[in-house]
Amino acid sequence: MAFNSHDLQAAGASSPPKRSDLVAEEIKRLITAKNLLPGDKLPRESELQSMFSVSKSTMREALKSLEVQGLVKVSTGPGGGGTVVEVPLDRTFQLMQNYLFFKEVRIEDIYQVRKLLEPELAASAVPFLTDAHFAALEENIACCDPSAEHVDDPLAQRQEEINFHDIFAAACPNPFLRFSCEMTNEMIRQLTVFDNEMPLSEQQRFGSANTGFHRKILAAARERDVEKVRDLMSEHMQDAMRSVKRMHGKLEGRLILDSEMSRRNVTRKARRGGKKA
């Protein structure tokens, strides 16, 4: 499939896109048309070159563009080439943060969204929670309990508490609701900072309140009481917002670097014991 002047004009009026960008768009159409799923391989690079009548350098640039977007993973050597991958949440979060960097987003704005979405997400997840989910929720509560022995970093505990909500998200049957809550949770986890002068007792008070709500929510979820889970999660979000305000919490408005994202992921996985909730 060769490109002509009409393709260029249709893609952009005054400043036509690069040829490699057009090829990247056509590869996206190919993925859709063939219903390729994560793990499926694209045609070989030489086949793609012939298909779109472009040079090797143009094709590699197009594949690199898709790789940066998180849609494709490119490997070299025998049997290498492009493989369709699922866009990771971290990459999506980073792109969203780049966008929000130029907006004035307050932590109150984030909690306004959480108060609306988290109760519905938790309620919708209840019928789909498995024994593995319940075990992960129990483990998270034990890990985040401020009264537990050897608590070295209360702030790390508060960040770990977000994983409780991610476990519910993993069981949510609505992919868009799950995505919205995971993105909101990631913003809270990655970007919230507190007043350095806040006494340890205040942090422990916040942690104790969270642990109490999490235990009640888990008990209601085990009973498959959807309405009780919804009500408890709504109360939990209201209380969490009051605590964050009391601790002078705010969003740290800055760009997230690739290297920093990778480092945080390694740390988070280590705290989870290498398991993905």
Side-chain angles (χ1 to χ4, degrees):
M1 175 194 286
F3 295 107
N4 54 40
S5 59
H6 176 73
D7 294 316
L8 295 174
Q9 292 170 0
S14 58
S15 56
K18 296 190 300 182
R19 196 171 184 79
S20 59
D21 291 338
L22 290 171
V23 175
E25 289 297 305
E26 289 302 321
I27 294 175
K28 287 182 183 179
R29 290 192 180 96
L30 178 68
I31 291 171
T32 302
K34 291 185 173 293
N35 195 29
L36 298 181
L37 300 174
D40 290 341
K41 285 188 171 294
L42 294 174
R44 288 180 300 178
E45 188 177 301
S46 58
E47 293 178 33
L48 290 171
Q49 283 179 241
S50 299
M51 190 181 302
F52 300 120
S53 301
V54 294
S55 67
K56 179 184 290 187
S57 61
T58 297
M59 181 52 63
R60 289 188 174 176
E61 191 175 348
L63 290 172
K64 182 63 179 177
S65 171
L66 294 174
E67 190 171 37
V68 169
Q69 294 175 49
L71 291 169
V72 167
K73 181 178 180 181
V74 180
S75 56
T76 58
T83 302
V84 178
V85 295
E86 185 174 1
V87 179
L89 181 68
D90 292 334
R91 173 57 66 188
T92 308
F93 167 73
Q94 190 174 21
L95 292 174
M96 184 185 75
Q97 181 56 19
N98 290 349
Y99 170 78
L100 292 176
F101 181 74
F102 300 101
K103 307 289 187 290
E104 290 190 17
V105 180
R106 305 169 304 155
I107 198 165
E108 291 85 355
D109 300 326
I110 301 302
Y111 269 90
Q112 182 180 16
V113 174
R114 285 195 89 197
K115 286 187 291 185
L116 292 171
L117 298 186
E118 281 286 344
E120 294 307 313
L121 175 130
S124 68
V126 168
F128 302 93
L129 291 169
T130 65
D131 288 342
H133 289 124
F134 287 129
L137 290 166
E138 290 275 13
E139 183 179 353
N140 179 268
I141 291 172
C143 173
C144 297
D145 187 348
S147 64
E149 296 182 1
H150 309 301
V151 178
D152 297 322
D153 189 348
L155 180 57
Q157 275 193 326
R158 304 294 73 76
Q159 292 174 328
E160 184 70 19
E161 283 168 346
I162 299 295
N163 290 340
F164 181 90
H165 299 270
D166 285 341
I167 295 166
F168 271 93
C172 176
N174 182 329
F176 189 74
L177 179 57
R178 179 173 65 248
F179 167 79
S180 300
C181 289
E182 285 178 338
M183 292 296 289
T184 304
N185 291 343
E186 194 69 7
M187 287 195 73
I188 296 291
R189 180 191 289 114
Q190 299 263 21
L191 299 177
T192 303
V193 293
F194 294 101
D195 187 344
N196 289 331
E197 302 300 321
M198 191 61 56
L200 179 62
S201 60
E202 188 62 44
Q203 297 183 38
Q204 291 174 330
R205 178 183 172 188
F206 186 22
S208 295
N210 288 341
T211 297
F213 274 111
H214 286 181
R215 285 197 175 115
K216 291 177 183 178
I217 291 168
L218 175 56
R222 284 190 181 280
E223 296 171 0
R224 306 294 180 180
D225 191 332
V226 173
E227 290 307 317
K228 189 173 183 179
V229 167
R230 180 184 282 112
D231 291 342
L232 284 169
M233 188 63 80
S234 181
E235 291 178 33
H236 178 26
M237 291 296 97
Q238 295 280 357
D239 182 78
M241 182 68 257
R242 287 193 293 268
S243 295
V244 168
K245 282 185 176 180
R246 193 169 59 246
M247 295 174 67
H248 304 154
K250 62 181 180 179
L251 290 183
E252 188 177 25
R254 58 188 178 78
L255 297 174
I256 303 296
L257 306 178
D258 286 344
S259 57
E260 186 174 38
M261 183 70 73
S262 299
R263 186 169 61 253
R264 290 188 181 201
N265 287 337
V266 169
T267 302
R268 194 163 73 231
K269 287 179 180 178
R271 289 203 305 269
R272 290 182 180 179
K275 292 183 290 186
K276 184 177 180 181

